Amino acid sequence: MHICASSNGLLLLSSVNGNLLRYNLFNLLTEQCVVLPQPQITRRSIGTGLAFDGFHYQVVCIFSSEGDRSISEPSSSSAPSGARGGRLIQMEIFSSETGIWKRHSPPIHLPSDLPKLSTIPLFSNGAIHWELGGYLLMYYVNSSYCRLIELPNYPQKWSCNSLTFGQCLWEAQGYVHYCYTDSEGIHTWVLLKEEDHQYYSSYYHYDRDRYQWKLAHTVTHQYLMCQNPEIFLRMGRRNIYFIQWEPYFISPFAYIQSFQTLYLRLPGMIVSYNLRTQALKEVCSYEFPDSNFHCCLLVAVVHSSKDDARGGHAKPAGAIGNAVSLPITDALEKPTKSK
């Protein structure tokens, strides 16, 4: 199984059974699993997203259109000029209200280059957000409106300094945040809203189609390592390969607004970095038996129990001590037991 997306405590999983692609929804709180009907489009998708508002959910699969379609792209598509031309986006959408898949063809051109990145899509402000070849694709689930804009680190000219080693999306204070690591450090940008553009345009003259982001926070690799050198020394003692620090070792994957904490993945270790106090702490370590495995996918979920809800206190993510065993666990353990 492959984890495609998460939204408000739901995990969207995909698996292949023979030549058929299957989608499953797994509820992290109730530990219930639902198998979705077979999609109509059988070719490989570019990306898959999940939107869950607490009552109903939608699963959105993105495909490259079959053949070129000659249409006049309206200005409402908000596609940057660099992303126009070439193949168009095609979508297939499953709704829990109707129980069926439907096709949607927005007038959005695919970026020319689509690198394979492990950025989990984000459902925020009524839209699913994907990182797509250096762009941010937004699909508003209620209106079926699509929008494509450049990410703040989109390279106009390629260079070694433009390489991105890890990235993630999250929502905080009603805004979409985009965080990534490069050779210098960890950078977080905020996607501007319409009211922000109205405010800035009254004081400055700028191209709002080009400048959609505002820099919120930056921390260099050197500064981060100085906050807790023991973490990186211990990482090097476990594996000689990690003695010399490299920027691609670190990857942001989640942010918890109530704790102002950014969670980072290191080789074999998860750490938390408080943006207010600059404290760097180890959350947990992990390993895969009999292999040099140091990469995993993590999904941060904040929830409240009934007792916590009565007292008005949310349960911290770090206090959740129960691990959920997904079906893939049995498949991974079988080769080890056979030895």
Side-chain angles (χ1 to χ4, degrees):
M1 284 191 173
H2 171 70
I3 299 180
C4 303
S6 69
S7 179
N8 294 325
L10 291 186
L11 286 182
L12 176 63
L13 309 171
S14 68
S15 61
V16 178
N17 186 3
N19 293 326
L20 299 178
L21 180 64
R22 301 282 187 181
Y23 287 106
N24 301 265
L25 278 176
F26 186 86
N27 191 313
L28 287 171
L29 303 183
T30 64
E31 299 189 18
Q32 294 178 330
C33 190
V34 175
V35 181
L36 301 187
Q38 185 68 36
Q40 299 177 12
I41 302 178
T42 57
R43 64 183 185 275
R44 184 176 181 179
S45 65
I46 298 172
T48 308
L50 172 65
F52 178 51
D53 60 7
F55 300 96
H56 304 286
Y57 59 84
Q58 289 190 27
V59 176
V60 182
C61 301
I62 307 173
F63 301 90
S64 173
S65 63
E66 291 182 320
D68 295 329
R69 288 179 288 169
S70 299
I71 64 171
S72 177
E73 183 175 0
S75 59
S76 61
S77 66
S78 302
S81 58
R84 297 178 184 177
R87 304 173 72 84
L88 290 164
I89 285 177
Q90 186 178 28
M91 292 180 171
E92 190 172 18
I93 304 163
F94 177 84
S95 172
S96 61
E97 293 186 88
T98 62
I100 60 174
W101 293 87
K102 67 174 183 179
R103 298 192 184 189
H104 177 54
S105 300
I108 297 289
H109 289 273
L110 281 171
S112 55
D113 296 321
L114 295 173
K116 183 179 180 180
L117 298 172
S118 58
T119 308
I120 298 295
L122 170 71
F123 176 57
S124 172
N125 297 326
I128 304 176
H129 301 71
W130 292 269
E131 185 282 327
L132 200 65
Y135 293 83
L136 184 72
L137 175 65
M138 290 164 280
Y139 171 75
Y140 293 84
V141 295
N142 291 332
S143 62
S144 299
Y145 170 72
C146 280
R147 186 182 176 204
L148 189 71
I149 64 172
E150 287 182 359
L151 289 171
N153 60 334
Y154 179 82
Q156 300 299 328
K157 293 183 179 180
W158 188 91
S159 68
C160 294
N161 294 330
S162 65
L163 289 175
T164 299
F165 303 108
Q167 55 191 7
C168 69
L169 296 163
W170 73 71
E171 179 187 345
Q173 298 178 338
Y175 283 85
V176 172
H177 290 63
Y178 171 66
C179 182
Y180 64 92
T181 56
D182 59 14
S183 59
E184 296 179 355
I186 306 172
H187 313 280
T188 303
W189 294 75
V190 177
L191 180 63
L192 298 178
K193 296 182 179 180
E194 179 61 31
E195 52 265 33
D196 299 315
H197 286 294
Q198 293 177 358
Y199 172 80
Y200 289 123
S201 61
S202 62
Y203 294 95
Y204 309 99
H205 296 286
Y206 69 100
D207 184 357
R208 59 175 296 171
D209 291 332
R210 180 174 177 82
Y211 297 100
Q212 300 277 355
W213 302 87
K214 177 182 178 181
L215 183 63
H217 186 269
T218 291
V219 57
T220 65
H221 293 302
Q222 291 182 343
Y223 183 81
L224 189 70
M225 295 174 67
C226 291
Q227 302 314 299
N228 196 333
E230 177 60 26
I231 286 180
F232 300 94
L233 291 174
R234 196 163 357 108
M235 187 176 65
R237 286 195 295 266
R238 287 208 311 262
N239 194 321
I240 191 173
Y241 178 71
F242 304 133
I243 291 179
Q244 185 176 359
W245 172 253
E246 296 290 349
Y248 56 79
F249 285 166
I250 192 166
S251 178
F253 69 87
Y255 176 81
I256 305 299
Q257 177 180 335
S258 56
F259 309 126
Q260 300 184 42
T261 299
L262 175 63
Y263 291 87
L264 307 169
R265 183 181 64 202
L266 299 176
M269 188 183 302
I270 303 301
V271 299
S272 64
Y273 178 69
N274 189 292
L275 298 183
R276 181 177 57 84
T277 65
Q278 285 81 51
L280 183 69
K281 299 180 180 180
E282 179 181 351
V283 176
C284 65
S285 60
Y286 58 93
E287 62 181 3
F288 196 89
D290 304 322
S291 70
N292 189 24
F293 177 82
H294 64 271
C295 181
C296 66
L297 177 64
L298 299 108
V299 178
V301 179
V302 177
H303 70 91
S304 298
S305 64
K306 293 182 179 179
D307 294 336
D308 294 329
R310 293 192 191 101
H313 300 290
K315 192 174 184 180
I320 299 174
N322 296 327
V324 178
S325 297
L326 300 181
I328 193 173
T329 305
D330 296 333
L332 292 174
E333 289 180 348
K334 285 180 180 179
T336 303
K337 291 180 179 179
S338 63
K339 294 179 182 178

